[in-house]
Amino acid sequence: MSQSTGKVLALLELLQAQPGLTGPQLAQRLGVDERTVRRYLAGLADLGLPVRAGRGRYGGYRLAPGFRLPPLMLGDDEAVAVVLGLLAAARLGLGVGANAQAARESALAKIERVLPAALRERVRAVRETLGFTLPARDAPDPPAARHLLTLAEAARDRRRVALTYRSWRGEDSERDYDPYGVVFHAGRWYATGLDHRSGELRMLRLDRIGSVVAGTERFDPPPGSFDAVGYVVGALAAVPYRHEVEVLIRATAAEVLRRVPATIGTVCPADGGTLLACRAERLDGMARMLAGLGWDFVVLRPDELRAEVAALGRRLVALAGPAGG
């Protein structure tokens, strides 16, 4: 940030904090002459900021009544939190709009520009040296930012929306929709709500929405406390997979829940341990997950999973090599 830019920002803060300061008073506080103050004031006016000057020799300067431009004042913890949030969003694939990555980079650059020099360098060091153990998520076809904003606002205000939607079969349709909430899950954005086309609760992927317009008609919220996240997780878990899996794990339900995400399946206490019920498309991957938990387990079904666990065991024994080798 140049010295003159810093002075202009300091002038803006003075106008907000102490309206009515005269030209000489502003010059004294900024350490410049009155002519420079007038040039700074003209620059603010060119930017569209409503600077008003009082009449007479002792008339002071102030912003128009009711106008406030809060400066971005971040402490160390706040600045790091914002930057880490943007970096984590990039890593998780959390973004909207075709230019989500560019938007994140632009936001980071703007934040860095307005930070004090010392804090800016410390935040930049975090940004340049931070590493992640999780691979970056590649979220294909991110939804338009305007769709997310429209749906979120409509859900908050309980307003019905009209939207166009393309199904997984590629069929286009027009729908009236009461959005109950918006959820980001596993790299995708989903809306949950009442679909008036079917008369049932429906989950819609935002990247399949062609257009969405909020109307004036309001809707009543669903009875009770609607859990949008729980509905999305449950709906995705109910998608048919090739295999139905049940495994008795020799650990408590609390222990299993700490290691097995809710998106994998349902967990409940059972005699001798905890019952894990889930669906799987590939049983070799399920065998590796169960072995990686580190607990004893018994495969209840399907028989094909037992075969995959046995095959995994043989591969591990072969990789270990002969004893003493």
Side-chain angles (χ1 to χ4, degrees), residues 75-87 123:
D76 290 20
D77 292 344
E78 294 168 328
V80 171
V82 172
V83 171
L84 288 180
L86 289 169
L87 294 176
V123 167

Side-chain angles (χ1 to χ4, degrees), residues 255-314:
E255 291 173 326
V256 174
L257 285 171
R258 284 196 292 268
R259 299 285 299 278
V260 179
T263 54
I264 297 296
T266 59
V267 169
C268 62
D271 291 339
T274 298
L275 181 65
L276 170 65
C278 58
R279 296 174 173 86
E281 193 67 24
R282 293 176 57 96
L283 292 178
D284 55 345
M286 179 60 64
R288 290 192 295 270
M289 187 205 77
L290 291 170
L293 293 176
W295 296 307
D296 292 342
F297 61 87
V298 178
V299 175
L300 302 180
R301 68 181 179 123
D303 293 338
E304 293 85 354
L305 180 55
R306 296 192 190 94
E308 286 292 345
V309 171
L312 175 61
R314 290 192 295 270

Side-chain angles (χ1 to χ4, degrees), residues 22-73:
T22 64
Q25 290 172 328
L26 289 171
Q28 181 182 10
R29 283 166 172 75
L30 295 174
V32 298
D33 56 39
E34 293 184 48
R35 182 177 179 181
T36 302
V37 169
R38 288 193 292 272
R39 188 173 75 250
Y40 290 165
L41 290 167
L44 291 176
D46 291 340
L47 292 173
L49 300 179
V51 179
R52 300 289 184 263
R55 294 184 178 182
R57 180 178 178 182
Y58 300 102
Y61 294 93
R62 65 185 69 239
L63 296 173
F67 181 85
R68 296 287 294 178
L69 182 65
L72 183 63
M73 302 296 290

Side-chain angles (χ1 to χ4, degrees), residues 90 141 154 201 236 310 317:
D141 301 323
L201 192 62
L236 292 175
V317 169

Side-chain angles (χ1 to χ4, degrees), residues 112-113 119-129:
E112 287 185 353
R113 282 200 299 269
L119 180 55
R120 180 170 64 248
E121 289 304 315
R122 299 181 71 183
V123 167
R124 188 172 294 169
V126 172
R127 180 183 178 187
E128 293 174 355
T129 61

Side-chain angles (χ1 to χ4, degrees), residues 141 147 163-175 195 197 203-211:
D141 301 323
H147 294 352
L163 57 84
T164 59
Y165 190 73
R166 173 163 292 187
S167 71
W168 63 274
R169 297 186 182 90
E171 301 169 347
D172 294 325
S173 60
E174 297 181 356
R175 308 174 185 224
D195 180 10
R197 184 168 179 262
M203 176 182 69
L204 304 180
R205 271 176 41 180
L206 265 66
D207 59 298
R208 290 180 179 165
I209 294 177
S211 63

